[in-house]
Amino acid sequence: MPVPSARPEHVSFGNTIKRVSDIAFAYNAGIRMFAVDAEEELEKIAEHAPGAQVYVRLIVETSSADWPLTRKFGCDRDTALKLLDRATELGLEPLGFSFHVGSQTRHAEMWVPVLDELSRIWTAAQEAGHRLQLLNIGGGFPAFYGEEIQAPTDYAAAVMELVEARFPGAERVMAEPGRGMVAEAGVIACEVMLTSRKSDRDMHRWVYLSIGRFSGLAETEGEAIRYQFVTPHDGEATSPCILAGPSCDSADVLYEKRPMNLPLNLKSGDRVLIRNTGAYTSTYSSVCFNGFPPLDVVIL
Ligand SMILES: Cc1ncc(COP(=O)(O)O)c(C=O)c1O
């Protein structure tokens, strides 16, 4: 059976930071829609993708996501309005706005402050005479990592209801769900490499796994994403332990501020499964940091 592929006219180049050669490549491949959050980016697009459609990414300052995507991306209200005008001056077609509520936004109601904030910019742009057609609501749809989340269809319906009530005239609402679609399709198999205590007075054991921050579990940064572990001793007595990766970097500690409860009998050589790791893991894995090979991917 042929693998369905997206047609270029249905693809948008959503990164706001693009090389000119990548803009030209996308344009030559038939892609016509590009995200921007800066004037210089508009100028690059005008030169290398003449006449393209653009949407302006808005900064999100009220995210309550587990993995927020704030500050680095987007621009404020006044800049956004200026960019819409500048796009027209440069012969581009400004379509509307995009934003990302923050990855792993666990419940639809957590979108409310973000949507309230951004809908004021939408209204301001309409009042300034812009005919906005598109709202790209990005991702944020959650995966199950142990904390309660809303079922995907309830979540999506609730988000759409909140969006429709706040963005009048948005003929096209586009979404880019990532984690929510793929995380639960993946599992990482690793092993315990060492368990230890640093002293007799050590409160917690250390458990070192064969995977760490640099071999796929980058989203443990700040202990933001808390994965679930399946071990051969599940059901036996547990205690909190500090979980760390195998590399020679002391930043390679997964959970220390909030230690992870794991079976007391866990020992070197035990195979451990990490649930729901189909998103943002293998692609984060370093090529060969400290000689550890990149995460091997097996598709079943
Ligand atoms: C622009 C954009 N859209 C969508 C996504 C997917 O987000 P999520 O995995 O939270 O659904 C990302 C993730 O980084 C992104 O940067």
Side-chain angles (χ1 to χ4, degrees):
M1 203 170 69
V3 179
S5 59
R7 294 211 300 275
E9 61 270 28
H10 294 153
V11 173
S12 86
F13 200 148
N15 194 337
T16 51
I17 307 149
K18 297 178 277 300
R19 273 202 181 92
V20 291
S21 55
D22 293 339
I23 295 171
F25 176 86
Y27 186 74
N28 289 332
I31 292 167
R32 290 291 175 269
M33 218 194 299
F34 296 83
V36 290
D37 65 5
E39 186 171 351
E40 192 177 68
E41 193 71 9
L42 271 180
E43 287 161 2
K44 282 150 65 179
I45 294 169
E47 191 177 341
H48 298 277
Q53 299 177 320
V54 289
Y55 55 84
V56 177
R57 180 155 171 181
L58 299 173
I59 197 163
V60 168
E61 294 183 286
T62 46
S63 175
S64 46
D66 289 347
W67 191 256
L69 296 168
T70 48
R71 275 192 351 100
K72 179 174 167 188
F73 306 103
C75 58
D76 75 357
R77 172 189 180 281
D78 292 351
T79 306
L81 298 188
K82 273 191 230 144
L83 290 179
L84 292 177
D85 288 333
R86 184 77 183 119
T88 310
E89 281 167 22
L90 289 167
L92 298 166
E93 186 187 351
L95 290 182
F97 294 127
S98 75
F99 67 93
H100 196 301
V101 69
S103 201
Q104 190 68 3
T105 295
R106 276 179 273 111
H107 294 278
E109 77 225 23
M110 293 160 94
W111 286 61
V112 170
V114 174
L115 296 177
D116 282 347
E117 180 194 336
L118 301 187
S119 66
R120 287 193 280 276
I121 305 178
W122 179 268
T123 308
Q126 283 179 323
E127 285 169 1
H130 293 289
R131 204 183 82 71
L132 303 177
Q133 309 163 44
L134 173 77
L135 181 67
N136 177 351
I137 65 170
F141 300 72
F144 181 70
Y145 295 121
E147 282 195 79
E148 196 205 324
I149 55 165
Q150 242 171 321
T153 44
D154 295 350
Y155 184 96
V159 167
M160 281 311 293
E161 202 174 305
L162 294 170
V163 167
E164 277 162 13
R166 286 167 179 75
F167 294 87
E171 289 157 27
R172 287 166 69 193
V173 176
M174 181 171 134
E176 303 171 333
R179 184 192 304 280
M181 288 181 63
V182 297
E184 292 170 26
V187 62
I188 288 175
C190 62
E191 67 174 84
V192 175
M193 293 183 66
L194 179 70
T195 66
S196 73
R197 278 185 198 273
K198 306 284 172 201
S199 77
D200 293 344
R201 285 164 284 112
D202 212 358
M203 284 256 293
H204 300 308
R205 286 168 302 148
W206 284 71
V207 173
Y208 299 90
L209 297 177
S210 57
I211 182 169
R213 177 78 58 79
F214 305 108
S215 40
L217 302 184
E219 289 193 323
T220 55
E221 167 79 40
E223 309 197 9
I225 299 292
R226 286 182 73 81
Y227 295 106
Q228 289 193 302
F229 298 85
V230 179
T231 80
H233 305 286
D234 287 356
E236 299 171 19
T238 62
S239 75
C241 59
I242 300 168
L243 209 55
S247 70
C248 302
D249 192 318
S250 57
D252 192 9
V253 175
L254 308 177
Y255 304 112
E256 183 172 17
K257 283 192 228 103
R258 277 177 66 204
M260 186 61 69
N261 250 337
L262 288 176
L264 275 164
N265 285 336
L266 211 56
K267 57 178 185 326
S268 184
D270 281 343
R271 185 178 151 94
V272 171
L273 301 180
I274 314 177
R275 292 181 61 196
N276 298 348
T277 41
Y280 307 123
T281 50
S282 56
T283 48
Y284 264 129
S285 177
S286 61
V287 175
C288 203
F289 180 54
N290 269 178
F292 291 97
L295 194 58
D296 192 20
V297 178
V298 181
I299 297 168
L300 301 174

